[in-house]
Amino acid sequence: MNFIEEFRSSQSGRTLLEYINKRSTKPARFMEFCGGHTVAIFRYGIRQLLPPHIEMLSGPGCPVCVTSTADLDKVIALSRLPGVIICSFGDLLRVPSSRQSLLEVRAEGADVRIVYSTMDALEIARQNPLKKVIFVGIGFETTAPTIAASVIQARNQGLANYYVMSIHKITPPVMRAILDAGETRLSGIICPGHVSSITGSNAWEFIPEEYHLACAVSGFESLDILYCVKSLVDQVEDATPRLDVSYSRAVKPEGNTAALKIMDEVFDICPANWRGIGILPQSGLCLRPEFAAFDAEKNFEIKLSEPSRETPGCLCGEIIKGTRTPLECKLFSKVCTPENPVGPCMVSSEGTCAAYYHYGGKLG
C-alpha cells in the first residue's frame, strides 16, 4: 500500500475484523504501550469492534504523562531564575507540578516559551546572547536524537547560552518494570511504532523470549492496528508468542543506526523518575560528561522550597501502569477536564484520560 487511504480501507478493515472475531476464542488482555496508539484505537472505534473477551489497556507510552512531578518541580524552579528562558513543547506547559504549572509561572512573569523543535530553541539562544536558554528535553527514543543533534549544533556553533534539562526516558526498561510488577495480567503487547523506528524491533524480543507474551509492533492507521491485533490473537490462540512487525514500512530490526549513533554520542544511560513507578535504573538519558557545559542540572543550582507532592485523588500514576482506567478516577470528567486538567493524562494529546474524554468517556 502506498497511500494513506489504503491504510484506512473499510473493506480491508471488515475482512480483518471478521478474521479476528472468528479466530479469537480465548479471553485476552492487550496493552498498547504507546499513547499514539491509544488515541488511534479510540478515534477509529476499534475497542467496540473487537470481541468482548478482548480487553485493550493503555500503557506508559506518553512522554508528558510519565514525566514525574519531582522533575516538573525542578523545571519550575529553573523558570524562576533571573535571566533564564525556558523552552518547551506545548503540552508540558499545562501539566500541574506540585503547586503550579509552567503556564502559571509564565503568567507571573517567567520567560517560558513554546517551541516546535530544538531548532527553535537554538534560534532563541542565538537571538538572546545575554540570556540563558534551557530546553526541557522530554520524550522517548523518538525525540532524543533531535535533542542530541541540537547539543552538537550548539557546541559546533559556539553557543554558550544553550542548555538541556534532560528528562528523557527509554522504553524497554519500563515495559520490563510493568511486567515484573505483575499488577496487571497481560496476554500481549502492542509495541510502539515510532519508538521502534529508532530502536529497531529487536528491542522488544525480550517480551516473548523472557515473559512468553505475544507482541507486535504497530503503525498508527486503523489497518495497522487491526493487523497487529490479528497477529496478537493468532499468537494467543496458537500459544506461540513471538515478535511480529506490522509496521515494516517504518521499522527495521536494527532500527535507525544514524539516530542511535548520535544518541550514543551525546547521552549516557542513567536512572529516571517515572510518574507512578518511581526511579528505574538504566531507564533515562543524561548528557555525557563531555557535554556537561550544556547540561542544565550541572550548570544551575536547582532549589526546591518544599518537597514534591502528588495531586490528591489523581490516578494518572496508576493509569500509566494499566492498573486503573480513567473511568475509575473520581476526578475524571468532573473536576478534571481538558479545560481544567488535574493530571498530565488529561493534558497530553497522547494522554489516556484525554482519549477517554474525547472518544470514550461516556461509555462508562
Side-chain angles (χ1 to χ4, degrees), residues 137-331:
I138 68 166
F140 301 130
E141 293 94 333
T142 322
T143 54
T146 64
I147 295 168
S150 78
V151 173
I152 291 174
Q153 191 166 342
R155 180 194 62 185
N156 293 345
Q157 295 179 356
L159 273 177
N161 64 330
Y162 178 73
Y163 306 89
V164 170
M165 177 71 180
S166 180
I167 317 176
H168 291 97
K169 296 172 176 61
I170 53 179
T171 50
V174 75
M175 194 70 254
R176 280 184 180 277
I178 288 173
L179 295 175
D180 287 340
E183 294 180 283
T184 182
R185 179 183 52 80
L186 297 174
S187 311
I189 310 292
I190 297 178
C191 297
H194 291 156
V195 163
S196 300
S197 70
I198 303 296
T199 64
S201 57
N202 289 342
W204 306 105
E205 283 183 334
F206 70 91
I207 294 175
E209 290 179 359
E210 299 178 30
Y211 295 92
H212 309 293
L213 292 178
C215 75
V217 180
S218 178
F220 296 86
E221 296 300 333
S222 53
L223 293 192
D224 287 325
I225 295 169
L226 287 175
Y227 192 77
C228 182
V229 173
K230 171 188 174 297
S231 169
L232 296 180
V233 166
D234 283 339
Q235 294 179 54
V236 169
E237 293 297 323
D238 296 337
T240 54
R242 63 182 181 272
L243 170 63
D244 274 350
V245 179
S246 60
Y247 195 31
S248 57
R249 65 187 183 279
V251 175
K252 300 176 182 176
E254 72 278 12
N256 185 326
T257 54
L260 292 171
K261 182 179 178 182
I262 198 170
M263 279 174 59
D264 289 342
E265 181 179 351
V266 173
F267 292 117
D268 266 335
I269 304 293
C270 63
N273 194 354
W274 296 72
R275 181 181 295 271
I277 297 171
I279 295 176
L280 287 181
Q282 305 287 300
S283 70
L285 294 173
C286 55
L287 272 70
R288 287 183 176 276
E290 51 266 43
F291 293 98
F294 303 94
D295 190 334
E297 287 214 71
K298 287 186 168 56
N299 288 277
F300 297 89
E301 188 176 4
I302 303 175
K303 291 183 178 179
L304 302 180
S305 56
E306 298 178 61
S308 298
R309 66 184 185 193
E310 301 298 330
T311 304
C314 176
L315 295 187
C316 280
E318 301 302 314
I319 290 166
I320 288 163
K321 296 186 291 186
T323 58
R324 307 287 286 274
T325 74
L327 300 179
E328 297 175 74
C329 179
K330 293 179 180 177
L331 306 183

Side-chain angles (χ1 to χ4, degrees), residues 115-141:
V115 294
Y116 297 96
S117 75
T118 51
M119 296 302 104
D120 294 341
L122 285 173
E123 184 58 28
I124 291 171
R126 289 188 199 97
Q127 293 176 359
N128 296 272
L130 300 181
K131 298 288 186 74
K132 296 177 178 179
V133 176
I134 301 174
F135 179 81
V136 184
I138 68 166
F140 301 130
E141 293 94 333

Side-chain angles (χ1 to χ4, degrees), residues 84-122:
V84 162
I85 300 173
I86 296 290
C87 293
S88 169
F89 296 134
D91 278 359
L92 197 64
L93 265 66
R94 300 182 65 225
V95 178
S97 68
S98 292
R99 290 158 193 86
Q100 284 183 300
S101 66
L102 280 171
L103 206 58
E104 289 168 330
V105 293
R106 185 169 76 170
E108 293 177 353
D111 196 343
V112 178
R113 305 187 189 186
I114 295 174
V115 294
Y116 297 96
S117 75
T118 51
M119 296 302 104
D120 294 341
L122 285 173

